[in-house]
Amino acid sequence: MQKVFDNVNALDKRCYDEFGLSEDLLMEHAATSMLQYIQSKFLNNEQILIICGSGNNGADGIALARLLHSQYAVSIFMPYHVKSVMAKLQYKRAKLLGVHVIDELSELLPGNAPDVIVDCLFGSGLNRALDDESQRLITRLNALHGHKVACDIPSGLNMQGQVTSVGFCANVTITMGALKTSLYSDIAKDLTGHIMVSDLGVHRNIYETTTNTYLLDPFDMQLPLRTKQNSHKGTFGHLSVIVGNKAGAGIIAAEAAFAFGAGLVTVITDKAVNIPLHIMQQYTLPEKCTALAIGMGLGKFKQSEVKRMLCLDIPKVIDADLFHDDIILTVLNDEGVVLTPHPKEFCSLLRLSKLADITVEELQNNRLKYLRLFAETYPKVVLLLKGANSLITYNRIVYINTLGNNALSKGGAGDVLTGLIASLLTQGHSAIDATITASLAHGMSAKNYTKNNYSLTPMDIIEGVKVL
């Protein structure tokens, strides 16, 4: 996993104060990283357009233009006057070298369209809503067909990961120094493209300090591969899945759990349900139940019966309908509990716990803010907030999983995730390890799916998990 920071101003200052690195030197490394990326992708003499703002993000772009000059047909477009000290210095250097500066985008002839468009307008310096001129400019840049590179942060995306009007849609974002949380909001996923980190004169191991936020990657996934030969089905736990009014949700979770290594899986229901032969059914919890999955498709329920199950001293995954009832408050200070709400359910949970009364829109614009608020109040439970990027928190640490994709926007996908987490819990994994691994496996299965992305089914996700 990689460290992620809300901003890197303190890290830059540390480079100046402790390592004797100048602002100019850091900027040269930023520009060089973009140069190296372009050189790795494009031949000499390609048309490159760099759009530069008035501050230091623009200065990075002007420095890049100087480095590209003569090897490529590079043009700078500066819609605003340069203002920062570094922008003025870099502009002076570029002009002395003879770098081409255009006054209007209309100077780019139809037959001379840029092969590469580099966005150096605002970066992490955006702290206001875009004016009309900037909105029109970004919209026009998005309409160009060249390969799009964002410097640090796509313009239009602010440091809270919000887009107030329009954002630059990049194929790749080269962010400076370290990863930033703003790059991992749900809306940012349609803007950033592939995210790379540029070193700024020292290796990231030196540049970065401590953080409470981490980006997960596939190497953090610990599949429940079996190594012990002297074993039996009970060795790998007995999971109980509560099946409610919408029986399909619980059955999908049960299937996922069995495929992910649970030794025994029993669905608990008093109704006749159509289940696979390898899944068992009972009316009451088995005596040797080692984990519980409850909530998905539950519908109306007897509060006393659910409360009795929630009070059992076994690991639990809680999903869906239970986030709309104050019975959920009984487990918020318990270890070994995993909560898996989608945004609307998390808003309900925040209201029930009296932490916030907000709309889904407000949550989606501030996902990390409200996740951290919950984590600060209830650090013992594991919470996975579903979304374009899944956010996981435990013990006030936040983990970001970006591996999921739009193929998972299907009914039943969340039930598979619940089953995967529950399966690992019943096999003895800790709540946080189970959630991280299951979430990554869930995302990797969708990522590896080779058919049309609209066709993914819950059973496809389960099949994909089997071959990770």
PDB file of all heavy atoms in Angstrom, residues 63-92:
ATOM      1  N   ALA A  63       8.250  25.280 -17.437  1.00  0.00           N
ATOM      2  CA  ALA A  63       9.532  24.561 -17.340  1.00  0.00           C
ATOM      3  C   ALA A  63       9.532  23.330 -18.245  1.00  0.00           C
ATOM      4  O   ALA A  63      10.537  23.013 -18.897  1.00  0.00           O
ATOM      5  CB  ALA A  63       9.800  24.165 -15.897  1.00  0.00           C
ATOM      6  N   LEU A  64       8.403  22.625 -18.293  1.00  0.00           N
ATOM      7  CA  LEU A  64       8.287  21.469 -19.179  1.00  0.00           C
ATOM      8  C   LEU A  64       8.464  21.888 -20.634  1.00  0.00           C
ATOM      9  O   LEU A  64       9.149  21.206 -21.401  1.00  0.00           O
ATOM     10  CB  LEU A  64       6.919  20.801 -18.985  1.00  0.00           C
ATOM     11  CG  LEU A  64       6.543  19.714 -19.988  1.00  0.00           C
ATOM     12  CD1 LEU A  64       7.511  18.532 -19.904  1.00  0.00           C
ATOM     13  CD2 LEU A  64       5.108  19.242 -19.777  1.00  0.00           C
ATOM     14  N   ALA A  65       7.847  22.997 -21.029  1.00  0.00           N
ATOM     15  CA  ALA A  65       7.970  23.478 -22.409  1.00  0.00           C
ATOM     16  C   ALA A  65       9.432  23.745 -22.755  1.00  0.00           C
ATOM     17  O   ALA A  65       9.897  23.429 -23.866  1.00  0.00           O
ATOM     18  CB  ALA A  65       7.139  24.742 -22.589  1.00  0.00           C
ATOM     19  N   ARG A  66      10.176  24.322 -21.827  1.00  0.00           N
ATOM     20  CA  ARG A  66      11.603  24.572 -22.064  1.00  0.00           C
ATOM     21  C   ARG A  66      12.362  23.264 -22.295  1.00  0.00           C
ATOM     22  O   ARG A  66      13.214  23.167 -23.183  1.00  0.00           O
ATOM     23  CB  ARG A  66      12.184  25.340 -20.865  1.00  0.00           C
ATOM     24  CG  ARG A  66      13.703  25.460 -20.875  1.00  0.00           C
ATOM     25  CD  ARG A  66      14.197  26.412 -19.792  1.00  0.00           C
ATOM     26  NE  ARG A  66      13.620  26.166 -18.499  1.00  0.00           N
ATOM     27  CZ  ARG A  66      14.017  25.208 -17.671  1.00  0.00           C
ATOM     28  NH1 ARG A  66      14.987  24.367 -18.036  1.00  0.00           N
ATOM     29  NH2 ARG A  66      13.456  25.065 -16.494  1.00  0.00           N
ATOM     30  N   LEU A  67      12.028  22.233 -21.502  1.00  0.00           N
ATOM     31  CA  LEU A  67      12.715  20.945 -21.649  1.00  0.00           C
ATOM     32  C   LEU A  67      12.337  20.246 -22.954  1.00  0.00           C
ATOM     33  O   LEU A  67      13.146  19.517 -23.540  1.00  0.00           O
ATOM     34  CB  LEU A  67      12.391  20.042 -20.462  1.00  0.00           C
ATOM     35  CG  LEU A  67      12.886  20.520 -19.085  1.00  0.00           C
ATOM     36  CD1 LEU A  67      12.383  19.588 -17.995  1.00  0.00           C
ATOM     37  CD2 LEU A  67      14.397  20.623 -19.049  1.00  0.00           C
ATOM     38  N   LEU A  68      11.112  20.456 -23.410  1.00  0.00           N
ATOM     39  CA  LEU A  68      10.641  19.822 -24.644  1.00  0.00           C
ATOM     40  C   LEU A  68      11.098  20.558 -25.891  1.00  0.00           C
ATOM     41  O   LEU A  68      11.103  19.991 -26.992  1.00  0.00           O
ATOM     42  CB  LEU A  68       9.098  19.775 -24.647  1.00  0.00           C
ATOM     43  CG  LEU A  68       8.408  18.843 -23.649  1.00  0.00           C
ATOM     44  CD1 LEU A  68       6.918  19.168 -23.584  1.00  0.00           C
ATOM     45  CD2 LEU A  68       8.613  17.390 -24.031  1.00  0.00           C
ATOM     46  N   HIS A  69      11.462  21.806 -25.729  1.00  0.00           N
ATOM     47  CA  HIS A  69      11.777  22.675 -26.870  1.00  0.00           C
ATOM     48  C   HIS A  69      12.877  22.082 -27.746  1.00  0.00           C
ATOM     49  O   HIS A  69      13.887  21.598 -27.247  1.00  0.00           O
ATOM     50  CB  HIS A  69      12.215  24.053 -26.363  1.00  0.00           C
ATOM     51  CG  HIS A  69      12.516  25.035 -27.443  1.00  0.00           C
ATOM     52  ND1 HIS A  69      11.558  25.496 -28.322  1.00  0.00           N
ATOM     53  CD2 HIS A  69      13.687  25.639 -27.798  1.00  0.00           C
ATOM     54  CE1 HIS A  69      12.112  26.341 -29.167  1.00  0.00           C
ATOM     55  NE2 HIS A  69      13.410  26.455 -28.860  1.00  0.00           N
ATOM     56  N   SER A  70      12.625  22.103 -29.017  1.00  0.00           N
ATOM     57  CA  SER A  70      13.497  21.626 -30.116  1.00  0.00           C
ATOM     58  C   SER A  70      13.318  20.147 -30.409  1.00  0.00           C
ATOM     59  O   SER A  70      13.439  19.717 -31.559  1.00  0.00           O
ATOM     60  CB  SER A  70      14.990  21.940 -29.885  1.00  0.00           C
ATOM     61  OG  SER A  70      15.591  21.006 -29.012  1.00  0.00           O
ATOM     62  N   GLN A  71      13.006  19.332 -29.379  1.00  0.00           N
ATOM     63  CA  GLN A  71      12.749  17.919 -29.649  1.00  0.00           C
ATOM     64  C   GLN A  71      11.321  17.710 -30.138  1.00  0.00           C
ATOM     65  O   GLN A  71      11.047  16.820 -30.931  1.00  0.00           O
ATOM     66  CB  GLN A  71      12.989  17.077 -28.387  1.00  0.00           C
ATOM     67  CG  GLN A  71      12.839  15.573 -28.618  1.00  0.00           C
ATOM     68  CD  GLN A  71      13.023  14.754 -27.358  1.00  0.00           C
ATOM     69  OE1 GLN A  71      13.294  15.287 -26.293  1.00  0.00           O
ATOM     70  NE2 GLN A  71      12.876  13.442 -27.471  1.00  0.00           N
ATOM     71  N   TYR A  72      10.404  18.556 -29.668  1.00  0.00           N
ATOM     72  CA  TYR A  72       8.995  18.473 -30.043  1.00  0.00           C
ATOM     73  C   TYR A  72       8.519  19.843 -30.525  1.00  0.00           C
ATOM     74  O   TYR A  72       9.136  20.876 -30.224  1.00  0.00           O
ATOM     75  CB  TYR A  72       8.135  18.032 -28.851  1.00  0.00           C
ATOM     76  CG  TYR A  72       8.452  16.651 -28.339  1.00  0.00           C
ATOM     77  CD1 TYR A  72       9.409  16.468 -27.334  1.00  0.00           C
ATOM     78  CD2 TYR A  72       7.814  15.524 -28.848  1.00  0.00           C
ATOM     79  CE1 TYR A  72       9.707  15.193 -26.852  1.00  0.00           C
ATOM     80  CE2 TYR A  72       8.101  14.251 -28.374  1.00  0.00           C
ATOM     81  CZ  TYR A  72       9.050  14.094 -27.376  1.00  0.00           C
ATOM     82  OH  TYR A  72       9.352  12.836 -26.910  1.00  0.00           O
ATOM     83  N   ALA A  73       7.409  19.846 -31.246  1.00  0.00           N
ATOM     84  CA  ALA A  73       6.779  21.102 -31.661  1.00  0.00           C
ATOM     85  C   ALA A  73       5.864  21.555 -30.529  1.00  0.00           C
ATOM     86  O   ALA A  73       4.676  21.247 -30.492  1.00  0.00           O
ATOM     87  CB  ALA A  73       5.995  20.901 -32.951  1.00  0.00           C
ATOM     88  N   VAL A  74       6.440  22.276 -29.577  1.00  0.00           N
ATOM     89  CA  VAL A  74       5.735  22.611 -28.351  1.00  0.00           C
ATOM     90  C   VAL A  74       5.224  24.049 -28.399  1.00  0.00           C
ATOM     91  O   VAL A  74       5.902  24.949 -28.894  1.00  0.00           O
ATOM     92  CB  VAL A  74       6.641  22.388 -27.116  1.00  0.00           C
ATOM     93  CG1 VAL A  74       7.871  23.273 -27.163  1.00  0.00           C
ATOM     94  CG2 VAL A  74       5.868  22.616 -25.831  1.00  0.00           C
ATOM     95  N   SER A  75       4.004  24.236 -27.900  1.00  0.00           N
ATOM     96  CA  SER A  75       3.417  25.568 -27.783  1.00  0.00           C
ATOM     97  C   SER A  75       2.868  25.748 -26.376  1.00  0.00           C
ATOM     98  O   SER A  75       2.302  24.825 -25.790  1.00  0.00           O
ATOM     99  CB  SER A  75       2.271  25.755 -28.785  1.00  0.00           C
ATOM    100  OG  SER A  75       2.728  25.623 -30.111  1.00  0.00           O
ATOM    101  N   ILE A  76       3.053  26.970 -25.850  1.00  0.00           N
ATOM    102  CA  ILE A  76       2.474  27.317 -24.546  1.00  0.00           C
ATOM    103  C   ILE A  76       1.274  28.230 -24.783  1.00  0.00           C
ATOM    104  O   ILE A  76       1.338  29.166 -25.589  1.00  0.00           O
ATOM    105  CB  ILE A  76       3.494  28.077 -23.667  1.00  0.00           C
ATOM    106  CG1 ILE A  76       4.746  27.250 -23.406  1.00  0.00           C
ATOM    107  CG2 ILE A  76       2.851  28.476 -22.340  1.00  0.00           C
ATOM    108  CD1 ILE A  76       5.804  28.028 -22.636  1.00  0.00           C
ATOM    109  N   PHE A  77       0.193  27.941 -24.087  1.00  0.00           N
ATOM    110  CA  PHE A  77      -0.948  28.851 -24.066  1.00  0.00           C
ATOM    111  C   PHE A  77      -1.166  29.285 -22.631  1.00  0.00           C
ATOM    112  O   PHE A  77      -1.358  28.451 -21.746  1.00  0.00           O
ATOM    113  CB  PHE A  77      -2.195  28.182 -24.628  1.00  0.00           C
ATOM    114  CG  PHE A  77      -3.434  29.032 -24.542  1.00  0.00           C
ATOM    115  CD1 PHE A  77      -3.435  30.327 -25.036  1.00  0.00           C
ATOM    116  CD2 PHE A  77      -4.597  28.548 -23.958  1.00  0.00           C
ATOM    117  CE1 PHE A  77      -4.567  31.124 -24.956  1.00  0.00           C
ATOM    118  CE2 PHE A  77      -5.740  29.335 -23.876  1.00  0.00           C
ATOM    119  CZ  PHE A  77      -5.725  30.629 -24.377  1.00  0.00           C
ATOM    120  N   MET A  78      -1.115  30.615 -22.401  1.00  0.00           N
ATOM    121  CA  MET A  78      -1.282  31.156 -21.051  1.00  0.00           C
ATOM    122  C   MET A  78      -2.475  32.107 -21.051  1.00  0.00           C
ATOM    123  O   MET A  78      -2.338  33.277 -21.420  1.00  0.00           O
ATOM    124  CB  MET A  78      -0.005  31.870 -20.601  1.00  0.00           C
ATOM    125  CG  MET A  78       1.176  30.927 -20.446  1.00  0.00           C
ATOM    126  SD  MET A  78       2.656  31.728 -19.789  1.00  0.00           S
ATOM    127  CE  MET A  78       3.023  32.856 -21.128  1.00  0.00           C
ATOM    128  N   PRO A  79      -3.636  31.628 -20.669  1.00  0.00           N
ATOM    129  CA  PRO A  79      -4.839  32.466 -20.715  1.00  0.00           C
ATOM    130  C   PRO A  79      -4.860  33.567 -19.664  1.00  0.00           C
ATOM    131  O   PRO A  79      -5.657  34.498 -19.748  1.00  0.00           O
ATOM    132  CB  PRO A  79      -5.979  31.470 -20.477  1.00  0.00           C
ATOM    133  CG  PRO A  79      -5.348  30.359 -19.716  1.00  0.00           C
ATOM    134  CD  PRO A  79      -3.939  30.260 -20.213  1.00  0.00           C
ATOM    135  N   TYR A  80      -3.974  33.466 -18.663  1.00  0.00           N
ATOM    136  CA  TYR A  80      -3.920  34.471 -17.606  1.00  0.00           C
ATOM    137  C   TYR A  80      -2.480  34.983 -17.502  1.00  0.00           C
ATOM    138  O   TYR A  80      -1.527  34.289 -17.876  1.00  0.00           O
ATOM    139  CB  TYR A  80      -4.351  33.875 -16.261  1.00  0.00           C
ATOM    140  CG  TYR A  80      -5.546  32.954 -16.376  1.00  0.00           C
ATOM    141  CD1 TYR A  80      -5.403  31.584 -16.189  1.00  0.00           C
ATOM    142  CD2 TYR A  80      -6.805  33.447 -16.692  1.00  0.00           C
ATOM    143  CE1 TYR A  80      -6.499  30.728 -16.302  1.00  0.00           C
ATOM    144  CE2 TYR A  80      -7.905  32.610 -16.815  1.00  0.00           C
ATOM    145  CZ  TYR A  80      -7.742  31.250 -16.625  1.00  0.00           C
ATOM    146  OH  TYR A  80      -8.810  30.414 -16.758  1.00  0.00           O
ATOM    147  N   HIS A  81      -2.292  36.153 -16.973  1.00  0.00           N
ATOM    148  CA  HIS A  81      -0.943  36.688 -16.776  1.00  0.00           C
ATOM    149  C   HIS A  81      -0.221  35.879 -15.697  1.00  0.00           C
ATOM    150  O   HIS A  81      -0.828  35.478 -14.699  1.00  0.00           O
ATOM    151  CB  HIS A  81      -0.996  38.161 -16.370  1.00  0.00           C
ATOM    152  CG  HIS A  81      -1.557  39.057 -17.429  1.00  0.00           C
ATOM    153  ND1 HIS A  81      -0.950  39.245 -18.646  1.00  0.00           N
ATOM    154  CD2 HIS A  81      -2.685  39.817 -17.440  1.00  0.00           C
ATOM    155  CE1 HIS A  81      -1.671  40.087 -19.372  1.00  0.00           C
ATOM    156  NE2 HIS A  81      -2.735  40.446 -18.668  1.00  0.00           N
ATOM    157  N   VAL A  82       1.084  35.660 -15.881  1.00  0.00           N
ATOM    158  CA  VAL A  82       1.848  34.959 -14.850  1.00  0.00           C
ATOM    159  C   VAL A  82       1.931  35.847 -13.612  1.00  0.00           C
ATOM    160  O   VAL A  82       2.133  37.058 -13.707  1.00  0.00           O
ATOM    161  CB  VAL A  82       3.259  34.577 -15.356  1.00  0.00           C
ATOM    162  CG1 VAL A  82       3.184  33.498 -16.411  1.00  0.00           C
ATOM    163  CG2 VAL A  82       4.014  35.776 -15.884  1.00  0.00           C
ATOM    164  N   LYS A  83       1.774  35.223 -12.444  1.00  0.00           N
ATOM    165  CA  LYS A  83       1.734  35.994 -11.202  1.00  0.00           C
ATOM    166  C   LYS A  83       2.781  35.553 -10.186  1.00  0.00           C
ATOM    167  O   LYS A  83       3.408  36.388  -9.532  1.00  0.00           O
ATOM    168  CB  LYS A  83       0.342  35.894 -10.578  1.00  0.00           C
ATOM    169  CG  LYS A  83      -0.754  36.562 -11.402  1.00  0.00           C
ATOM    170  CD  LYS A  83      -2.113  36.404 -10.734  1.00  0.00           C
ATOM    171  CE  LYS A  83      -3.214  37.057 -11.581  1.00  0.00           C
ATOM    172  NZ  LYS A  83      -4.561  36.861 -10.965  1.00  0.00           N
ATOM    173  N   SER A  84       2.964  34.244  -9.997  1.00  0.00           N
ATOM    174  CA  SER A  84       3.893  33.785  -8.962  1.00  0.00           C
ATOM    175  C   SER A  84       5.331  34.074  -9.370  1.00  0.00           C
ATOM    176  O   SER A  84       5.649  34.222 -10.561  1.00  0.00           O
ATOM    177  CB  SER A  84       3.706  32.294  -8.690  1.00  0.00           C
ATOM    178  OG  SER A  84       4.278  31.513  -9.724  1.00  0.00           O
ATOM    179  N   VAL A  85       6.185  34.154  -8.385  1.00  0.00           N
ATOM    180  CA  VAL A  85       7.604  34.421  -8.644  1.00  0.00           C
ATOM    181  C   VAL A  85       8.194  33.355  -9.555  1.00  0.00           C
ATOM    182  O   VAL A  85       8.917  33.653 -10.514  1.00  0.00           O
ATOM    183  CB  VAL A  85       8.381  34.494  -7.311  1.00  0.00           C
ATOM    184  CG1 VAL A  85       9.886  34.579  -7.566  1.00  0.00           C
ATOM    185  CG2 VAL A  85       7.901  35.678  -6.477  1.00  0.00           C
ATOM    186  N   MET A  86       7.865  32.094  -9.286  1.00  0.00           N
ATOM    187  CA  MET A  86       8.427  31.008 -10.083  1.00  0.00           C
ATOM    188  C   MET A  86       7.864  31.006 -11.503  1.00  0.00           C
ATOM    189  O   MET A  86       8.564  30.695 -12.469  1.00  0.00           O
ATOM    190  CB  MET A  86       8.165  29.661  -9.415  1.00  0.00           C
ATOM    191  CG  MET A  86       8.990  29.423  -8.167  1.00  0.00           C
ATOM    192  SD  MET A  86      10.775  29.580  -8.421  1.00  0.00           S
ATOM    193  CE  MET A  86      11.049  28.397  -9.728  1.00  0.00           C
ATOM    194  N   ALA A  87       6.598  31.370 -11.655  1.00  0.00           N
ATOM    195  CA  ALA A  87       6.011  31.425 -12.996  1.00  0.00           C
ATOM    196  C   ALA A  87       6.705  32.497 -13.832  1.00  0.00           C
ATOM    197  O   ALA A  87       7.000  32.297 -15.022  1.00  0.00           O
ATOM    198  CB  ALA A  87       4.515  31.692 -12.902  1.00  0.00           C
ATOM    199  N   LYS A  88       6.967  33.646 -13.227  1.00  0.00           N
ATOM    200  CA  LYS A  88       7.660  34.723 -13.942  1.00  0.00           C
ATOM    201  C   LYS A  88       9.076  34.300 -14.328  1.00  0.00           C
ATOM    202  O   LYS A  88       9.547  34.580 -15.442  1.00  0.00           O
ATOM    203  CB  LYS A  88       7.699  35.984 -13.080  1.00  0.00           C
ATOM    204  CG  LYS A  88       6.324  36.621 -12.882  1.00  0.00           C
ATOM    205  CD  LYS A  88       6.405  37.811 -11.934  1.00  0.00           C
ATOM    206  CE  LYS A  88       5.031  38.441 -11.734  1.00  0.00           C
ATOM    207  NZ  LYS A  88       5.070  39.585 -10.765  1.00  0.00           N
ATOM    208  N   LEU A  89       9.772  33.625 -13.411  1.00  0.00           N
ATOM    209  CA  LEU A  89      11.136  33.169 -13.692  1.00  0.00           C
ATOM    210  C   LEU A  89      11.144  32.140 -14.812  1.00  0.00           C
ATOM    211  O   LEU A  89      11.959  32.224 -15.755  1.00  0.00           O
ATOM    212  CB  LEU A  89      11.755  32.592 -12.419  1.00  0.00           C
ATOM    213  CG  LEU A  89      13.144  31.958 -12.564  1.00  0.00           C
ATOM    214  CD1 LEU A  89      14.158  32.992 -13.052  1.00  0.00           C
ATOM    215  CD2 LEU A  89      13.596  31.338 -11.247  1.00  0.00           C
ATOM    216  N   GLN A  90      10.244  31.164 -14.751  1.00  0.00           N
ATOM    217  CA  GLN A  90      10.208  30.125 -15.781  1.00  0.00           C
ATOM    218  C   GLN A  90       9.818  30.713 -17.142  1.00  0.00           C
ATOM    219  O   GLN A  90      10.324  30.287 -18.185  1.00  0.00           O
ATOM    220  CB  GLN A  90       9.235  29.008 -15.380  1.00  0.00           C
ATOM    221  CG  GLN A  90       9.633  28.218 -14.148  1.00  0.00           C
ATOM    222  CD  GLN A  90      10.882  27.371 -14.357  1.00  0.00           C
ATOM    223  OE1 GLN A  90      11.500  27.363 -15.417  1.00  0.00           O
ATOM    224  NE2 GLN A  90      11.270  26.640 -13.306  1.00  0.00           N
ATOM    225  N   TYR A  91       8.921  31.695 -17.124  1.00  0.00           N
ATOM    226  CA  TYR A  91       8.517  32.331 -18.387  1.00  0.00           C
ATOM    227  C   TYR A  91       9.692  33.082 -19.013  1.00  0.00           C
ATOM    228  O   TYR A  91       9.902  33.029 -20.230  1.00  0.00           O
ATOM    229  CB  TYR A  91       7.350  33.276 -18.130  1.00  0.00           C
ATOM    230  CG  TYR A  91       6.814  33.910 -19.377  1.00  0.00           C
ATOM    231  CD1 TYR A  91       6.257  33.149 -20.404  1.00  0.00           C
ATOM    232  CD2 TYR A  91       6.873  35.299 -19.553  1.00  0.00           C
ATOM    233  CE1 TYR A  91       5.768  33.734 -21.559  1.00  0.00           C
ATOM    234  CE2 TYR A  91       6.387  35.896 -20.706  1.00  0.00           C
ATOM    235  CZ  TYR A  91       5.840  35.107 -21.704  1.00  0.00           C
ATOM    236  OH  TYR A  91       5.364  35.690 -22.852  1.00  0.00           O
ATOM    237  N   LYS A  92      10.465  33.766 -18.191  1.00  0.00           N
ATOM    238  CA  LYS A  92      11.645  34.479 -18.692  1.00  0.00           C
ATOM    239  C   LYS A  92      12.621  33.497 -19.338  1.00  0.00           C
ATOM    240  O   LYS A  92      13.147  33.750 -20.435  1.00  0.00           O
ATOM    241  CB  LYS A  92      12.331  35.222 -17.537  1.00  0.00           C
ATOM    242  CG  LYS A  92      13.610  35.950 -17.937  1.00  0.00           C
ATOM    243  CD  LYS A  92      14.241  36.624 -16.719  1.00  0.00           C
ATOM    244  CE  LYS A  92      15.557  37.314 -17.120  1.00  0.00           C
ATOM    245  NZ  LYS A  92      16.202  37.970 -15.941  1.00  0.00           N
TER     246      LYS A  92
END
